[in-house]
Amino acid sequence: MDNKTIHEGKVTIKVPEFEKITAKAPVFYNPAMELNRDLSVVAISVYKESVDHDISVCDVFGGTGIRGIRYAKEIDGVEKAVINDLNPLAVELAKENTKLNELHQVSVCKDDANMILRKCKGKFDVIDIDPFGTPSYYVESAAASLRSGGMICITATDTSALCGTYTEPCIRKYGAIPLKTEYCHENGLRILAGFIARTFSKYKKYIEVKFSHSTEHYMRIYAVIGKGAANTDESLKSLGYIAHCKNCLNRIVFKGLSPVIPGKCPICGGIFNVGGPLWCGEMYNQDFVSSMRDTVNELVLNKENKVIKLLDTCFEESNAPVTHFEIHKVCKNLKTSAPPLIDIMNLLKKEGFFVSRTHFSPTSLKTDANITELKNIIVNLKQAQSTDQI
Ligand SMILES: C[S@@+](CC[C@H](N)C(=O)[O-])C[C@H]1O[C@@H](n2cnc3c(N)ncnc32)[C@H](O)[C@@H]1O
Ligand SMILES: [Zn+2]
């Protein structure tokens, strides 16, 4: 295996020479995930600051070991990092990389992900799940393993299932019906959060989602775990469904596991498509995101600008309602051209509605105005603009 050396954050890592990123590489390393890893360092740093003890971290799908090594090197108070991978070549390389970075608090194991999580029940404060494709096969073991107060960090790259390009794989893997809409990435992230919440609930554990994002080909969720039957029951009330009308773009959130959902849209009589169950609760905790933003300045991040941009937008949308409106889609539905997003946002604000940008799409906004109210705002804006031009 021919290796080359790369530098990420404060670490130096040997990775295999590659021409194409593929899961068939002798050891997997994807430079496009650097943003994901930068954000993980920031999120785990903030988590560490929130607890009053040193922490142990398990990088369950280690690959080159880059995550576990970065956590150990870059986050103060990581007393133990375990890097695991089933691939013996990855284990060998992760050991070499640990030595290269002179880390004594890191150990490397070769185990199946589910086995290490079950064997080390209650041992880790942070469990990082970064597999190929779906994490759904591993969430159950993480739920059994993670102690109360711990944090789970989960990546999913099977976005075609979560976003509804394919329905059946989403039902099989996540027990949820996806909703292929212009806001399908948000639905997908919420389906993943809902699946994590339901899986942890079997163990009387509940999730508080601290930060999450959908970027390029993957989704990522960071959640802190609490314990107790009553709190878990209460938290499951955040599960629900979204009913969407493709005719007028109306959407309604129905909370609960068996809500009464009308078959037709009350605005236009179009058929409602329903997705869920999914997490209708918080997807970003504003204080946590704000602390992440402050922590960026204390770290060495190659993707600092992108990290800051994402965190600023997530901060803005942290108290926003579920779903968002893609403005070109709404304007096409109105058979009109789209005015500047900022003008629509300003008018919504002036009319007393909540409004924010969203990291899911640069041409979308989040608001508590319903589709009729939003359309009226756009029509008024277009009229005012055409009068101005006369
Ligand atoms: C997406 S890669 C991990 C990338 C790495 N976390 C990073 O940031 O560079 C997934 C890794 O999981 C390993 N793997 C696949 N199935 C596994 C299993 N059942 N248990 C443990 N490791 C597994 C693969 O060998 C591969 O190295
Ligand atoms: Zn409708």
Side-chain angles (χ1 to χ4, degrees):
M1 186 166 65
D2 289 332
N3 292 331
K4 64 174 182 177
T5 300
I6 58 114
H7 302 277
E8 238 191 64
K10 289 186 185 163
V11 304
T12 302
I13 299 284
K14 284 188 187 171
V15 304
E17 288 276 7
F18 54 84
E19 278 170 17
K20 208 173 114 210
I21 314 294
T22 161
K24 290 188 188 119
V27 179
F28 185 81
Y29 166 76
N30 187 354
M33 285 301 213
E34 190 171 11
L35 175 68
N36 179 332
R37 289 185 287 267
D38 275 357
L39 285 160
S40 304
V41 171
V42 182
I44 298 172
S45 297
V46 170
Y47 166 75
K48 159 66 193 74
E49 281 308 302
S50 74
V51 294
D52 55 1
H53 53 79
D54 284 354
I55 59 169
S56 55
V57 180
C58 184
D59 174 8
V60 187
F61 297 84
T64 59
I66 190 163
R67 280 175 189 272
I69 290 171
R70 285 195 65 182
Y71 302 157
K73 187 94 172 180
E74 297 173 32
I75 303 171
D76 284 342
V78 171
E79 64 178 5
K80 179 93 197 143
V82 174
I83 297 168
N84 177 70
D85 203 289
L86 198 52
N87 172 0
L89 292 176
V91 169
E92 208 178 290
L93 193 56
K95 281 184 180 163
E96 231 179 279
N97 282 326
T98 304
K99 224 183 254 170
L100 187 65
N101 288 280
E102 296 172 348
L103 292 164
H104 305 289
Q105 73 275 49
V106 175
S107 56
V108 183
C109 330
K110 183 192 160 305
D111 227 330
D112 175 76
N114 284 317
M115 293 301 285
I116 189 161
L117 290 172
R118 299 279 174 171
K119 278 196 285 199
C120 299
K121 185 174 174 199
K123 285 214 176 120
F124 302 116
D125 296 294
V126 176
I127 292 176
D128 191 325
I129 297 191
D130 184 43
F132 294 135
T134 182
S136 66
Y137 316 125
Y138 312 107
V139 178
E140 181 88 30
S141 299
S145 188
L146 195 55
R147 58 184 178 221
S148 176
M151 181 159 83
I152 178 103
C153 320
I154 299 191
T155 313
T157 58
D158 57 335
T159 49
S160 57
L162 285 162
C163 297
T165 309
Y166 305 109
T167 302
E168 288 76 13
C170 189
I171 296 172
R172 284 198 304 271
K173 292 188 273 189
Y174 299 102
I177 296 173
L179 198 51
K180 184 98 188 100
T181 59
E182 55 280 15
Y183 51 92
C184 62
H185 287 87
E186 178 172 347
N187 299 336
L189 196 60
R190 290 182 182 279
I191 284 177
L192 179 60
F195 173 76
I196 299 169
R198 283 185 284 129
T199 308
F200 272 76
S201 73
K202 295 180 207 173
Y203 301 87
K204 299 194 186 94
K205 293 174 185 170
Y206 61 93
I207 62 165
E208 284 174 12
V209 181
K210 296 295 185 187
F211 176 57
S212 61
H213 64 114
S214 165
T215 302
E216 292 161 10
H217 69 293
Y218 69 93
M219 296 178 177
R220 179 94 164 150
I221 292 181
Y222 301 83
V224 170
I225 305 306
K227 198 157 192 312
N231 285 337
T232 302
D233 294 344
E234 187 57 34
S235 110
L236 291 180
K237 291 182 185 161
S238 290
L239 291 170
Y241 296 82
I242 297 172
H244 178 83
C245 170
K246 285 195 173 157
N247 188 44
C248 74
L249 309 182
N250 182 25
R251 71 289 304 268
I252 304 179
V253 176
F254 292 89
K255 280 202 173 180
L257 267 182
S258 63
V260 179
I261 303 174
K264 287 189 175 167
C265 170
I267 294 179
C268 75
I271 291 168
F272 259 156
N273 291 300
V274 179
L278 42 72
W279 187 251
C280 303
E282 201 171 62
M283 293 300 289
Y284 331 82
N285 177 279
Q286 201 166 48
D287 290 343
F288 193 88
V289 177
S290 169
S291 300
M292 283 180 74
R293 182 66 184 79
D294 294 342
T295 304
V296 170
N297 304 328
E298 296 160 21
L299 296 164
V300 177
L301 305 171
N302 294 4
K303 299 287 176 207
E304 183 176 312
N305 291 342
K306 282 190 174 177
V307 167
I308 289 173
K309 191 168 174 240
L310 180 65
L311 290 177
D312 284 347
T313 317
C314 290
F315 179 83
E316 234 189 85
E317 67 181 296
S318 52
N319 290 324
V322 178
T323 87
H324 56 269
F325 295 97
E326 205 286 317
I327 286 312
H328 293 101
K329 185 93 183 174
V330 178
C331 289
K332 198 172 169 203
N333 192 267
L334 274 171
K335 298 191 172 52
T336 186
S337 58
L341 184 73
I342 189 72
D343 292 352
I344 307 174
M345 290 179 71
N346 285 340
L347 194 52
L348 278 164
K349 216 178 286 170
K350 204 170 142 204
E351 298 286 325
F353 293 107
F354 172 92
V355 62
S356 78
R357 295 177 298 156
T358 170
H359 85 280
F360 291 107
S361 145
T363 54
S364 298
L365 57 81
K366 279 184 164 271
T367 180
D368 53 4
N370 65 27
I371 187 69
T372 310
E373 291 162 332
L374 176 61
K375 284 178 176 173
N376 286 340
I377 293 267
I378 294 173
V379 169
N380 291 344
L381 190 62
K382 297 284 294 185
Q383 270 167 2
Q385 285 177 346
S386 65
T387 319
D388 278 356
Q389 279 166 8
I390 295 168

